Amino acid sequence: MRVLLIGPPASGKGTQGRRLAALFEVSYLSSGELLRAEVSAGTPLGQQVAEDLARGDLVPDEVILDVLRPPLQAALRSGGYLLDGFPRTVAQARALDGWATAVGGQPEAAVWFDVADDELLRRSRSRASIEGRADDVSAVARHRIDVYNAATAPLIDYYRQAGILIHVDAAQPIDTVAATVDAALAPFDVRGH
Ligand code: AMP
């Protein structure tokens, strides 16, 4: 199974992604989690990207490509991937196409978690208090939504044109979204049981 999860911050793709990875037994890779791990470990790369994360800006394409390449290649060798938060720009999508073509790992589905901006802001405020994520407090949350609309939303057309876009109304309750996504991804289930 090779699936991309695309959606604005707080659209629920992380929650669904971890659940789907366990259900379909596929490697879950969150670009944001990989970057936050670098920041907390204080690596040179972490120090380089810390400000971008704190501001809610995207890190440069070359940086995320370098971070993601090894785990993605490992995931491809072990049967597939569920990518959360990558690609986030059309340039990243093209880079993924390049790698994937070389190793036969083209994405089969891009699930778009569609939620209106107002609902995202409401969710971000509650996540900021529950999880203590510094990039969820309101000004940064608003900025992250703007960055999504400017840089990442064009991927929706990109994958619609590629014929692999799956639209999900992610403003629905979590269980409803889960049932919708499970049904949409069932055709890509390659578990032998
Ligand atoms: P996330 O956990 O996916 O919301 O990502 C948290 C932060 O990590 C984002 O606000 C960006 O600063 C950075 N980030 C995550 N994925 C990417 C990506 N594919 N390209 C650039 N920056 C990213």
Side-chain angles (χ1 to χ4, degrees):
M1 175 178 269
R2 299 184 303 275
V3 172
L4 313 177
L5 307 179
I6 298 171
S11 58
K13 62 189 166 43
T15 304
Q16 297 294 342
R18 279 182 285 270
R19 191 188 58 76
L20 289 163
L23 175 67
F24 291 113
E25 297 168 21
V26 60
S27 303
Y28 170 71
L29 292 175
S30 153
S31 52
E33 272 177 14
L34 291 167
L35 292 169
R36 282 190 291 280
E38 297 278 344
V39 173
S40 351
T43 63
L45 190 140
Q47 291 172 20
Q48 189 192 332
V49 301
E51 275 194 24
D52 283 333
L53 265 76
R55 278 197 302 260
D57 285 324
L58 297 183
V59 311
D61 288 335
E62 322 77 71
V63 172
I64 191 66
L65 293 172
D66 280 349
V67 170
L68 214 63
R69 194 178 288 111
L72 185 58
Q73 282 171 347
L76 279 169
R77 282 193 297 273
S78 69
Y81 54 76
L82 204 56
L83 276 176
D84 169 0
F86 177 89
R88 229 158 164 126
T89 64
V90 170
Q92 292 177 15
R94 296 213 173 99
L96 174 63
D97 283 345
W99 294 341
T101 305
V103 296
Q106 285 291 351
E108 303 163 289
V111 183
W112 167 29
F113 288 75
D114 185 12
V115 184
D117 291 3
D118 287 356
E119 169 65 9
L120 296 171
L121 282 169
R122 198 190 59 71
R123 291 184 185 182
S124 293
R125 278 193 292 272
S126 93
R127 190 162 75 172
S129 56
I130 295 165
E131 290 180 23
R133 256 184 72 168
D135 59 357
D136 270 332
V137 289
S138 65
V140 179
R142 175 74 250 176
H143 181 60
R144 276 161 43 82
I145 293 168
D146 292 343
V147 168
Y148 169 84
N149 286 329
T152 308
L155 290 180
I156 292 158
D157 269 341
Y158 184 91
Y159 288 114
R160 186 183 283 125
Q161 276 165 28
I164 64 166
L165 188 74
I166 295 174
H167 174 254
V168 172
D169 176 1
Q172 298 292 313
I174 289 187
D175 290 351
T176 311
V177 175
T180 307
V181 179
D182 290 358
L185 292 183
F188 307 104
D189 185 3
V190 289
R191 288 168 303 160
H193 50 90

